[in-house]
Amino acid sequence: MKTNFFQKPLAWVLIVAIAAISGIYVFYNFDKANPMVGLDIQMNRDAALDKAVILAENFHLGPLDFKTAVVFTNDNTFQNFVELEAGGLEKFKEVLNEGLYNSYSWKVRHFVEHETNEVTFVFSPSGESYGFTEKLADAEGGATLEEEEALTIATREVQANWDLDLSAYDLVEKSKEEMESGRIDHSFIYERKDITIGEGEYRLRIKLSGEKLTQIQHFVKIPDEFNRRYAEMRSKNDIMASFGTVGLIVVYGLFGVFIGFFFLLKGRRLVWKPALIWGLIIALGSVFLTTMNGIPLSWFAYDTSTSAGNFLSSTMINAFLLSLGMGAIFALTFMSAEGLGRSAFPRHVQLWKAWGKESGGSLSLFGQTMSGYLFMVIFLAIDVLFYVITKKFGWWSPAGELSDPNILANYMPWFNSIAISLQAGFWEEALCRAIPLAGIVLLTRKSKYRNFWIILVLIVQTLIFGSAHANYPQQPSYARVLEMVIPFIIFGLIYLGYGLIPIIIAHFAIDVFWFSLPLWVAKSPGIWTDRILVLVFLFIPLWIVLYRRLRNRKWTEIPDKFRNIGWEAPEEEIKKEVEKVKLGAEKSTFGKILIPAGIVGIALWFFFTPFVADAPGMEISKQEAEEIAVIALSERFEIDVKDWTLMSNISARTGLTHKFI
């Protein structure tokens, strides 16, 4: 494949035509793959917080001086149940449109550090109240009402203050619990008598704590058998994903990144500085800054019995340390991927100099950049087409799993879709495309079977990448692998011809589309600001090329010195390497002493360490424990275990570790 492909008019006509047809197909068929498209999201984060405050004041719910947490989430269990066993995606969209059950909802939590009392409010996407749950301390006093009196108070408040018509429901369950203070809490569960969803039942839970209404919760009772079948299905997804993960770690990580790193280091072809800078930037953005952006969500996981300051500081510290670790992994990957590609493909533009003054305004780079965005549209069409076709064969591929509605609850809803997509596009293409393909090109440079090995790795890298992503909830378990075959074989071919730039842009743009989808569905105030920011950052590669073109006042050609063939190791770096080698030779005595000293240290540790377990030892054997269990079952419970399978294991009591400490 020649590098002037994107300069041929016929090629551009073909790519633009396919992208246009793909865009039209996605526009008219996308709702068949994703139910979020028709969702009426009119409430935003600020409106949810404000309405929760009003409800708390009007009905005296929750603590007075409180902290807040907010999420916009989906009941994935309900969606999966409907799509798999209760009518499919069309039925799920029908439920949403008719308001039978708000699977998507805003939740706002009011809480106080070191206090049990708290409240969580629930709102529909359009902004209506959809229930609440107030948690009271067991020691808090309250009335001891009889069941009938409690039911009368609860139904009166629900219908008068929360605009709920209980005439469509039947009371199916009643329960009560006496608390530590003597207060009696009553729970009543109602069921819709006029409509069901497959074998599921629309239900409403009402709770009265003493004489105070403390819960209104809409939910769907899903059969336990579905949960068991779904868990079995997901286990197959996880098994498939484990094979892909092993491939990523062993094949790409161990053999690709590390061996490639030392190969480049030995040949003095390693360029580390820009890789380290980009690795840290992407890690800080996709890990640390996204965690900070999602602080409003993280408070939902906060246990009020612990310190709020410790929770926040540990969240920040852990995110920062994780970003440093991931930054190192990204940097090593970028070093190996760029270096191997530079060694294997002499006509590719140098990755770290692609957007420089001379090469950044070239017609070739403009073509590669635009092709990335056009291929994004084509691949989206392939995704939707795959869903539509496989659905006819009974496959289940919920595209909605690729979009997280919770981004609407972040401080800056636009940011996470950009940061996470950049990390996925850059790192995954470097690791899963560049390293295996550049590596096989280098290894088979003198082999007469070179084309065979390149084609084989082209297919294998697609299968490994697809398997690593197979943990998405899909049925059958290999659906994700097949879905990715065509797109990522094309990605591999593009890399072989033009390098990382077009496929990073395409991958980045695809992920931005999926991750930012809630922003394009929402109709809440101020949402256009987030949409504009997404577009600004999405097209940054294009803005750079156009900026270079304006500064140069013409389209340029990429000089050979900015292609891989023109790369030369800096003289200063070579001199430093030579000096290091000389210094190492001078200090060879230290190296000779280091290994024997290490052996002596290990020997001393082995002979003087007591190797005694801190925990108490087992006083009976496995066989004795099983015999005691069989006798107990027979004598105390009259159970004959002859037809049972006997399994045993050693386990500690809950909390034993803490008690020991």
Side-chain angles (χ1 to χ4, degrees), residues 73-132:
T73 186
N74 179 32
D75 186 349
N76 289 314
T77 302
F78 171 73
Q79 180 178 352
N80 296 335
F81 166 68
V82 176
E83 289 194 23
L84 281 169
E85 298 187 1
L89 181 60
E90 289 75 15
K91 187 65 177 180
F92 180 69
K93 291 191 291 185
E94 178 186 321
V95 170
L96 297 182
N97 294 334
E98 296 183 6
L100 297 174
Y101 176 67
N102 283 306
S103 182
Y104 291 90
S105 61
W106 285 96
K107 295 182 180 179
V108 179
R109 180 190 184 194
H110 290 179
F111 62 95
V112 175
E113 180 182 13
H114 300 312
E115 284 192 18
T116 302
N117 290 20
E118 62 175 76
V119 62
T120 299
F121 297 97
V122 184
F123 304 102
S124 70
S126 57
E128 290 87 12
S129 296
Y130 199 58
F132 73 97

Side-chain angles (χ1 to χ4, degrees), residues 479-492:
R480 187 72 173 169
V481 180
L482 294 182
E483 179 184 351
M484 291 185 170
V485 167
I486 294 177
F488 289 104
I489 283 181
I490 296 175
F491 266 37

Side-chain angles (χ1 to χ4, degrees), residues 8-78:
K8 295 180 179 180
L10 182 60
W12 274 108
V13 170
L14 182 63
I15 294 174
V16 171
I18 295 175
I21 294 171
S22 299
I24 294 171
Y25 180 79
V26 171
F27 181 80
Y28 285 104
N29 293 276
F30 189 74
D31 62 331
K32 297 177 183 178
N34 197 303
M36 190 181 291
V37 174
L39 203 60
D40 183 25
I41 307 176
Q42 297 184 13
M43 174 176 269
N44 62 13
R45 175 179 176 273
D46 292 335
L49 291 170
D50 292 341
K51 191 162 186 176
V53 171
I54 294 173
L55 291 176
E57 292 176 350
N58 290 345
F59 298 106
H60 307 289
L61 297 171
L64 295 178
D65 297 319
F66 50 82
K67 297 180 183 292
T68 60
V70 58
V71 294
F72 182 65
T73 186
N74 179 32
D75 186 349
N76 289 314
T77 302
F78 171 73

